[in-house]
């Protein structure tokens, strides 16, 4: 079992930056595969970025490539999402997710909800003009 606690959300103007954090507590083995998802009102939850924490290979949704960076600090058991050049359409609740194993190749499964058994409570990001 692992608990995930997100922080760092807030309100920012378009073009600005935010850094989200996801602290993991408990069985760190459960955090081998981690990702950030987001869900805007009326929309489905979508994968934003995923990472294998044992090798740091990262994957991104096309909508955030070049603007967002996922990273980890294994010493602090913390996952980050650096978000730059924020756009109005980035407004959403952002969730951290984790799982000890991957179902199939991670480069193709990272963005699917069913890949992850553990989820944080979410942190709201609001981008305004």
């Amino acid at each position: 079992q692992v608990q995930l606690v997100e922080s760092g959300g807030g309100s920012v103007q378009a073009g600005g930056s935010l850094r989200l954090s996801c602290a993991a507590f408990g069985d760190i083995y459960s955090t081998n595969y981690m990702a950030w998802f987001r869900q805007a009102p009326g929309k489905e939850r979508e994968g934003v970025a995923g990472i294998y924490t044992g090798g740091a290979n990262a994957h991104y949704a096309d909508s955030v490539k070049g603007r967002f960076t996922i990273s980890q600090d294994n010493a602090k058991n913390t996952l980050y999402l650096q978000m730059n050049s924020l756009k109005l359409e980035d407004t959403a609740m952002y969730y951290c997710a984790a799982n000890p194993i991957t179902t199939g190749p991670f480069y193709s499964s990272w963005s699917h909800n069913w890949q992850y058994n553990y989820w944080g409570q979410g942190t709201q990001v609001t981008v305004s003009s």
Side-chain angles (χ1 to χ4, degrees), residues 26-110:
D27 179 10
I28 303 304
Y29 169 73
S30 296
T31 61
N32 283 341
Y33 297 90
M34 299 192 74
W36 288 97
F37 283 74
R38 67 185 181 187
Q39 188 167 21
K43 294 188 177 181
E44 293 187 354
R45 189 173 297 188
E46 63 171 350
V48 174
I51 191 167
Y52 168 53
T53 59
N57 290 330
H59 309 278
Y60 297 93
D62 288 343
S63 58
V64 306
K65 279 181 182 176
R67 300 189 298 122
F68 290 11
T69 302
I70 188 172
S71 63
Q72 81 243 28
D73 185 333
N74 289 337
K76 296 181 179 180
N77 297 326
T78 301
L79 182 75
Y80 301 100
L81 184 69
Q82 178 66 44
M83 306 186 295
N84 299 327
S85 302
L86 282 161
K87 303 177 180 180
L88 297 179
E89 52 264 41
D90 294 320
T91 295
M93 185 71 80
Y94 283 72
Y95 299 90
C96 174
N99 210 59
I101 61 173
T102 180
T103 304
F106 189 58
Y107 64 82
S108 61
S109 68
W110 71 268

Side-chain angles (χ1 to χ4, degrees), residues 4-31:
L4 304 174
V5 180
E6 300 100 332
S7 61
S11 297
V12 64
Q13 287 191 321
S17 299
L18 281 175
R19 188 177 80 156
L20 306 183
S21 299
C22 172
F25 302 93
D27 179 10
I28 303 304
Y29 169 73
S30 296
T31 61

